[in-house]
Every structure is written in C-alpha cells, then in structure tokens.
Amino acid sequence: MSYLLNIVYLFSLVVATPWLAWRAMFQNKSRRGWRQKLLGLVSAPAKNAGVRRIWFHAVSVGEVNLLKPIVDRISARDPSIEFAISTSTETGFDLARKRFGEHCVFFCPMDFTWSVKNVLKRIKPDVLVLTELELWPNLITITSKQGVPVMVANARLSESSYRGYSRLRWIVGGVLKRISLIAVQNETYESRFIELGCKRNCVVVTGNVKFDGARTDRNTPHAESLRQIFGIEDCEHVFVAGSTQPDEDDVVLRVYQRLAQKHRELRLVLVPRHPEKLATAVDTLNALNLNYIRRSETMAGCTPGQTGFAPDKAVIVVDVIGELTAWWSLADVGYVGGSMGTRRGGQNMIEPAALGVPISFGPNTRNFQAVVESLLSANAAVVVQNEDQLADFIDSSLSDPVATGQQAERANAVVRAQQGAADATVELLLQMIPQSADDSRKHVPTAA
C-alpha cells in the first residue's frame, strides 16, 4: 500500500508542477522547503541521551497558534522536553519561526515513504502530535510501526469531512487504528471518529484548546503601540474586520462608506486572511475614494505626517501576518471573515469573543460549528447574511453601547466557561511519552 501511495503522490506532483511553477514565479509562493518536503532532509539538533522530544505538526497559521498554550504548559511542567514543529504552508512556517524560533521548525515532509523515514531518523521523536486532523497514511503508519505513538490533538471532523472519509472507510479505518489517541473537541466528533473505525478507548473528549489560547486582557504593549502609531483616539470607535476573503473586503468597505457619514468617529481596520490578495480591496478603496494606509508602510519607517502615511480617519489595511490579536484588542465592534462565502467555512471567532468584542460573522461557519452554537445560544454574537445586515449590526452596536457592552460580556463569559482543554490535552500527552528516553514503556491513556 505504501509504495502504491508513492506512485499516486508522484503522479499528482507531476500533474501539479505547472501550477506550482506558476505560483513560484508570479505569486512568490511554494518556493521554500522543497528539500524538506520531498526528501525529508531536516536539519535537527542532535538528541542528547535522556532527552525527550515531541514532534508537533501544525498545518498552517491557525494550528500554529493552537500550539502555544500546549507548548507553554508542557515547558512549565518539564523544561527538559524538546519540541520539533512542522508546518505545511509558508505562512504557517513563518509564524512558527516567530513563535517557536528557539525550537526546530521545518516544513512537513510530503507523504512519501522516504521523506517520512528521513524526518523520523533526524527528529527521533518520542511522540508525534497532529493538530486537529491530518490523515496522511504513510506518515501515520511508518511512525507507529517504528514504535512512536501518534496523537491527534484538538481533533475535529466536520460533517462534510466525515461524509468524504466514509466513502473511503476501508482505507481511513486502517489509518485511524494506527493512531494511539485522538483528543476530540466534543461528543459529536467523538462519535464520528468511532464510526469511521477508531477504537472507543482511543477517543477522548477534551474540549477545544483554542479557548485556552485566547487572550482576555486587552491592555497589551503591542495593542497600545498600534494605537499610537495610527493615532487612534479614545473618542473613536474601531471596527475590525478580521480574516476576511477578497469578496468580503468589498462588502466591508462598502459598509464602512455607508456608515462613515453617520458615525464620524468610526475607524475601519481591515485584516485580510491572505494579505497577498489585496488587489481587489485596493481597487475598491480607490473606487470608493477612501483614504487608506498599509500597515507595512508604517513598518518601513513612515510615521504620521510623513510621506506615505494617509490622512486621519484613513482605513487601516493590515497587510502583515501575526497582528490580528492586537487589533482585536482595539476593536469596539467586529466582523469575523471567511464566513459570508461558502468556500472557507469561517475563521476563528474565539479571539474577539474572549476580548469582549461585540462580533458578527456570516452564515457559513461549519469549521467552528460548536463554537458558533455556544455563542448564539448565549446571545453573544450575531449572524449577518449580507451587506445590509452587516451595516445594521455595526450601526446598532455604535448606537446602543449598553446593549453592545452586554453582548461583549456574554461572549467573554462563553470563552471563560469552556477553558481547560489545553490542560487536559497536556495531561494525556505526557502520559504517552516515557519518563526518560531510556524508558521504552509508552503508556497510552484510554477513555474512561
């Protein structure tokens, strides 16, 4: 089976080569890490005797952020444990280098047998932890065959993914049986994994780690620095649209133009999910005759009053990675993107909720279904179907600060009530690795 998969992967790679070349030449993407991806040639520090090492795989930005509370708690429990962190995307890799630069950070190998074996030989992990869900058959099979337990942390399985995996149950079931432990976010996901072939005693409900990683304190040096850089005054109301897709950028900008005359103290901060896809937003800004400033321009040395810095009340376009949390800290009202179109399935609304931001999002939030249900049942968020409803939400939030404040308090309460998953995950994970590298006994916890 492994070598048949190699043939399928090689064929797929050959077919995709023109597309990858186009991305590299014209989008400056898919250029880095090919020795690691294709061959597994990872430069990892030598593993000293008696040292334990955990390999975390985080696909992209969201999963990298998810690791922070887990890694911090493990380090607090046992500072001697080392970490190796892999990602699949370049944005994820850059963020991982920023967040975990003191550890081994690399591009995850493609699912070729030789790539996986090379990485395992260099990393020498005591356990492999996949965040949320990455079912690569060779990676999981080879790792488990080498006696290294595999765990899935913060696992989720949406209805659409479940239906897709069900069609390949004869393959998926065999891969899932190789996984030692799956820590799932809720009971619905638990039942789906079991129905696909997981052993019941290998699936444990721990909750959603993203609640633990969410900040609840708005007063941070980073947020205050942004306030000063952009001259945001206390009397102004900041509308943050975070993790937006290109079509949502246009909607948000039109809403802002509609409301700016009525609410003259309104400031818009637009934080696209993919900063490199800003061409459409820039065209709309120009067409609507809106002043704007790119965050990257201020980082290049421009300050208020200098050339390159737009006039007061300008739309702030955040075209850098890793700042969204700080901008949510400044928000008086928000919209969480990736949710008004049908493709993305929503982005993380836990962060703004934890910070007490009155939030809205579109109807397509399948990736965060359980989170959305918790927020809506507590009347702590609003679903907006279109541009008009988003405009109405922003308008009413600014016009009725008492009701807005109550919504924000309810959102914060929802987050606080669901924290604790990171501690449960760490407890299970530490039980899976030996007490020392010389102790070959690996205990795999089971569900109660």
Side-chain angles (χ1 to χ4, degrees):
M1 175 64 75
S2 294
Y3 292 100
L4 177 60
L5 284 171
N6 287 341
I7 294 173
V8 173
Y9 293 148
L10 281 171
F11 177 76
S12 302
L13 186 60
V14 170
V15 171
T17 295
W19 176 70
L20 293 171
W22 182 84
R23 280 166 59 90
M25 288 187 294
F26 297 106
Q27 292 188 332
N28 196 30
K29 287 184 174 182
S30 303
R31 289 188 173 188
R32 295 179 287 164
W34 283 103
R35 291 179 74 251
Q36 298 176 356
K37 295 173 184 176
L38 284 176
L39 303 175
L41 299 180
V42 175
S43 298
K47 184 179 177 184
N48 297 323
V51 171
R52 296 177 294 167
R53 181 177 289 170
I54 301 173
W55 173 9
F56 286 105
H57 175 53
V59 181
S60 192
V61 171
E63 292 78 15
V64 171
N65 284 326
L66 175 75
L67 291 182
K68 188 74 167 62
I70 296 176
V71 170
D72 286 349
R73 283 165 170 79
I74 294 174
S75 296
R77 293 272 296 269
D78 190 342
S80 69
I81 294 178
E82 295 181 350
F83 305 100
I85 298 169
S86 64
T87 70
S88 298
T89 68
E90 296 192 10
T91 52
F93 178 82
D94 291 338
L95 183 60
R97 288 288 296 272
K98 181 178 178 181
R99 292 280 174 87
F100 308 106
E102 70 275 22
H103 304 295
C104 175
V105 176
F106 59 98
F107 285 100
C108 189
M110 293 181 175
D111 202 40
F112 296 111
T113 54
W114 57 83
S115 302
V116 173
K117 289 179 179 178
N118 278 338
V119 171
L120 289 171
K121 181 179 179 181
R122 287 163 169 77
I123 297 298
K124 292 181 171 59
D126 292 284
V127 63
L128 167 61
V129 182
L130 308 173
T131 54
E132 301 218 330
L133 184 62
E134 280 286 287
L135 288 183
W136 292 108
N138 282 339
L139 174 61
I140 293 171
T141 300
I142 294 171
T143 302
S144 66
K145 281 185 175 180
Q146 291 192 10
V148 177
V150 180
M151 175 182 180
V152 182
N154 210 53
R156 64 184 178 89
L157 191 59
S158 67
E159 179 64 31
S160 59
S161 295
Y162 170 69
R163 288 197 301 268
Y165 285 135
S166 295
R167 299 187 188 99
L168 301 171
R169 191 187 301 264
W170 59 282
I171 296 177
V172 173
V175 175
L176 289 174
K177 284 183 172 64
R178 291 279 182 180
I179 299 175
S180 301
L181 184 68
I182 301 179
V184 298
Q185 297 178 17
N186 57 45
E187 288 79 6
T188 299
Y189 298 154
E190 177 189 32
S191 63
R192 288 173 183 168
F193 276 107
I194 292 173
E195 288 170 12
L196 285 177
C198 285
K199 301 174 183 177
R200 287 184 177 273
N201 64 349
C202 291
V203 186
V204 182
V205 178
T206 54
N208 192 337
V209 176
K210 289 183 177 179
F211 285 106
D212 293 271
R215 294 178 178 271
T216 57
D217 182 11
R218 285 178 172 244
N219 299 315
T220 65
H222 192 180
E224 184 56 32
S225 173
L226 292 175
R227 182 187 296 277
Q228 293 179 9
I229 289 172
F230 289 93
I232 299 174
E233 300 176 5
D234 292 339
C235 62
E236 293 179 320
H237 298 304
V238 180
F239 166 31
V240 174
S243 299
T244 53
Q245 295 294 309
D247 54 344
E248 292 173 307
D249 294 339
D250 291 349
V251 170
V252 168
L253 290 170
R254 289 194 297 268
V255 166
Y256 171 72
Q257 187 189 49
R258 289 169 59 178
L259 296 178
Q261 295 303 313
K262 178 178 180 180
H263 301 280
R264 294 187 176 274
E265 72 285 2
L266 184 62
R267 293 289 300 272
L268 171 62
V269 179
L270 182 65
V271 191
R273 173 68 173 173
H274 302 288
E276 70 276 6
K277 297 180 180 178
L278 273 174
T280 303
V282 170
D283 289 343
T284 303
L285 282 161
N286 291 328
L288 296 177
N289 198 29
L290 293 172
N291 292 322
Y292 67 95
I293 175 66
R294 290 175 180 256
R295 169 64 171 131
S296 58
E297 293 179 11
T298 67
M299 298 174 75
C302 296
T303 56
Q306 292 183 325
T307 302
F309 200 96
D312 292 342
K313 311 298 183 184
V315 174
I316 301 168
V317 180
V318 183
D319 55 349
V320 299
I321 296 293
E323 280 198 348
L324 181 54
T325 301
W327 285 109
W328 284 131
S329 297
L330 297 177
D332 295 294
V333 63
Y335 170 75
V336 182
S339 57
M340 206 170 279
T342 58
R343 193 175 64 175
R344 291 296 304 181
Q347 298 295 161
N348 186 3
M349 64 283 295
I350 297 174
E351 272 194 340
L355 290 165
V357 179
I359 53 172
S360 61
F361 37 76
N364 299 304
T365 52
R366 61 183 179 276
N367 291 338
F368 293 86
Q369 183 177 354
V371 177
V372 169
E373 289 174 356
S374 296
L375 290 170
L376 295 181
S377 63
N379 194 23
V382 173
V383 177
V384 292
Q385 302 284 340
N386 49 44
E387 179 179 328
D388 289 338
Q389 290 187 11
L390 177 58
D392 290 342
F393 170 73
I394 303 300
D395 184 27
S396 62
S397 296
L398 299 177
S399 301
D400 189 350
V402 174
T404 299
Q406 292 172 346
Q407 178 189 329
E409 290 175 1
R410 291 191 293 269
N412 176 268
V414 167
V415 174
R416 289 182 181 275
Q418 299 198 46
Q419 290 179 333
D423 290 324
T425 301
V426 168
E427 190 65 38
L428 292 170
L429 175 54
L430 291 179
Q431 292 179 41
M432 295 181 68
I433 59 178
Q435 293 302 306
S436 70
D438 299 325
D439 181 2
S440 60
R441 294 169 299 170
K442 294 182 176 66
H443 171 64
V444 178
T446 59

